[in-house]
Amino acid sequence: MIGRLHSVVLDAPDAHALATFYAELLGLEVSKGGPGDDWVVVTGQGYRLAFQQAPDLQPPDWPDPDRPQQFHLDVFVTDVDEAEPKALALGARRLPGGGGDFRVYADPVGHPFCLVWDAA
């Protein structure tokens, strides 16, 4: 092993706003940085996400291959029908695609993420 994963870092035109979205979506807390900061960190439950200011961000355009998703987070939920309206209320939007155990969304900046569950 060379090292351990320290952070997953997402670019955003407003780092604090996107950090707040993910903190609320995942039940974490903004632990470093605030409105207007170039670097904001969200932690909790053994996880760490970081957000860096990128005012000229060109977000992915799922499923357009000319602007691919670049990366995405899978967010495990026990009941997608309960979780989806909560994610949408935070500012997520549903995207095309999905399957028997996942649905695709965009965060408020346009990064794709999936709600995933065990489809028995």
Side-chain angles (χ1 to χ4, degrees), residues 31-44:
S31 59
K32 178 181 179 183
D37 287 342
D38 289 342
W39 184 262
V40 181
V41 176
V42 171
T43 57

Side-chain angles (χ1 to χ4, degrees), residues 25-76:
L25 180 70
L26 301 171
L28 306 175
E29 65 180 54
V30 176
S31 59
K32 178 181 179 183
D37 287 342
D38 289 342
W39 184 262
V40 181
V41 176
V42 171
T43 57
Q45 302 174 34
Y47 300 104
R48 175 186 160 103
L49 294 173
F51 302 84
Q52 64 183 4
Q53 200 74 11
D56 298 323
L57 176 72
Q58 293 293 315
D61 189 16
W62 174 269
D64 182 354
D66 291 332
R67 288 189 25 215
Q69 64 180 335
Q70 301 161 8
F71 88 101
H72 74 274
L73 299 176
D74 285 342
V75 178
F76 180 81

Side-chain angles (χ1 to χ4, degrees), residues 3-120:
R4 293 180 290 128
L5 178 65
H6 180 63
S7 297
V8 174
V9 182
L10 290 84
D11 288 350
D14 182 335
H16 184 261
L18 192 58
T20 300
F21 169 83
Y22 277 104
E24 292 181 25
L25 180 70
L26 301 171
L28 306 175
E29 65 180 54
V30 176
S31 59
K32 178 181 179 183
D37 287 342
D38 289 342
W39 184 262
V40 181
V41 176
V42 171
T43 57
Q45 302 174 34
Y47 300 104
R48 175 186 160 103
L49 294 173
F51 302 84
Q52 64 183 4
Q53 200 74 11
D56 298 323
L57 176 72
Q58 293 293 315
D61 189 16
W62 174 269
D64 182 354
D66 291 332
R67 288 189 25 215
Q69 64 180 335
Q70 301 161 8
F71 88 101
H72 74 274
L73 299 176
D74 285 342
V75 178
F76 180 81
V77 298
T78 55
D79 183 341
V80 71
D81 293 321
E82 181 180 318
E84 179 177 77
K86 293 176 182 177
L88 297 174
L90 290 174
R93 62 185 164 88
R94 182 87 185 262
L95 296 176
D101 61 354
F102 72 98
R103 292 183 190 166
V104 184
Y105 303 84
D107 67 23
V109 174
H111 299 109
F113 70 94
C114 294
L115 296 181
V116 301
W117 65 94
D118 288 329

